Amino acid sequence: MVRKIITIDEEKCNGCGLCANACHEGAIGMIDGKAHLLRDDYCDGLGDCLPVCPTGAITFTEREAAAYDEAAVQQNLKARAQQAQAPMGCPGSRARAIERAQAPQTPAAAPTLFSQLRQWPVQIKLAPINAPYFNGANLLVAADCTAYAYANMHQDFMRGRITLIGCPKLDDIDYSEKLTAIIQQNDIKSVTIVRMEVPCCGGIEYAVRTALQSSGKFLPWRVVTVTTDGALLDM
């Protein structure tokens, strides 16, 4: 059948992932750092993805395409949700809290730095939805590049917070679904977002904003942006 459906211009796409997060039907996925229409029958032709694209890479076209299939969409979304929540087989992904003793005081001019990581795992897609360390937690959601760009990441942002990291450009997953569940099902006290200044990093900020809105909770939150040379734009 001929119907209205989205077209994505790969040359214009900057890989931010905002369209994939905005598509409630799961029709858009990130492949090799670019947005792609995964299946014609997943696209309802309503265009929730259009207004979030910062480069104008998405447009409507009328062409021969499979009809929108609500049942296939629901089956796909259910499978994705189960995959996101399923425990991983690797022993290294087992959730655990990390207890840290008081850092000893040293007389040296340059103080010894200690890790401030308080739990494992840290990757958003590997983290459990429910864990004891989430209760009463101040949550840090950070783009993984920030720890390499900003030298004092542990002391300024990870200290006293539960840390979750991800890269919306490289991970083909909608972070907002899992983050919504974590915020809804745990006693989270606040959320800090640390992202890079590059456009594609807007995906992680968008995912957290969406999760906060979808959770129905009113939590204090803030966004801090790190430049590629390691400075802070916002505090």
Side-chain angles (χ1 to χ4, degrees), residues 65-89:
Y68 173 65
D69 189 338
E70 176 69 24
V73 167
Q74 293 303 319
Q75 184 177 3
N76 177 53
L77 294 177
K78 182 178 180 181
R80 288 175 57 180
Q82 289 175 342
Q83 182 181 13
Q85 298 181 31
M88 304 298 291

Side-chain angles (χ1 to χ4, degrees), residues 17 20-21 29-30 80 83-85 124-126 167-168 170-178 207:
N21 290 330
M30 303 304 296
R80 288 175 57 180
Q83 182 181 13
Q85 298 181 31
I124 298 172
K125 63 182 181 180
L126 298 181
C167 177
L170 300 181
D171 289 343
D172 184 17
I173 191 171
D174 182 1
Y175 292 143
S176 61
E177 296 177 10
K178 176 172 275 190

Side-chain angles (χ1 to χ4, degrees), residues 149-189:
Y150 184 63
N152 217 29
M153 187 71 174
H154 279 254
Q155 295 300 317
D156 288 355
F157 295 109
M158 291 174 61
R159 183 170 57 180
R161 296 185 175 95
I162 295 299
T163 301
L164 296 177
I165 67 170
C167 177
K169 187 170 184 178
L170 300 181
D171 289 343
D172 184 17
I173 191 171
D174 182 1
Y175 292 143
S176 61
E177 296 177 10
K178 176 172 275 190
L179 292 173
T180 297
I182 289 173
I183 294 171
Q184 281 181 334
Q185 299 180 32
N186 298 279
D187 181 25
I188 303 296
K189 298 299 185 184

Side-chain angles (χ1 to χ4, degrees), residues 74-124:
Q74 293 303 319
Q75 184 177 3
N76 177 53
L77 294 177
K78 182 178 180 181
R80 288 175 57 180
Q82 289 175 342
Q83 182 181 13
Q85 298 181 31
M88 304 298 291
C90 172
S93 66
R94 180 177 59 86
R96 62 188 178 95
I98 299 174
E99 298 293 334
R100 297 204 179 275
Q102 181 75 20
Q105 298 296 316
T106 60
T112 302
L113 299 179
F114 294 88
S115 173
Q116 298 297 322
L117 185 63
R118 300 180 60 194
Q119 98 290 340
W120 187 266
V122 295
Q123 287 284 347
I124 298 172

Side-chain angles (χ1 to χ4, degrees), residues 5 9 12-13 21 37-38 54 61 66 76-77 84 87 94 101 105 117 122 129 136 148 153 186 208-209 222-223 228:
I5 196 167
D9 186 336
K12 291 183 179 180
C13 176
N21 290 330
L37 177 60
L38 300 178
T61 187
N76 177 53
L77 294 177
R94 180 177 59 86
Q105 298 296 316
L117 185 63
V122 295
I129 288 177
Y148 294 94
M153 187 71 174
N186 298 279
V208 178
R209 288 175 183 265
R222 63 170 178 153
V223 181
T228 53

Side-chain angles (χ1 to χ4, degrees), residues 5-8 16-29 35-37 42-60 206:
I5 196 167
I6 66 163
T7 296
I8 302 174
C16 69
L18 294 177
C19 57
N21 290 330
C23 180
H24 301 297
E25 289 72 37
I28 301 175
H36 290 265
L37 177 60
Y42 288 171
C43 179
D44 61 6
L46 297 179
D48 289 343
C49 53
L50 268 69
V52 302
C53 179
T55 64
I58 305 175
T59 56
F60 276 127
Y206 178 85

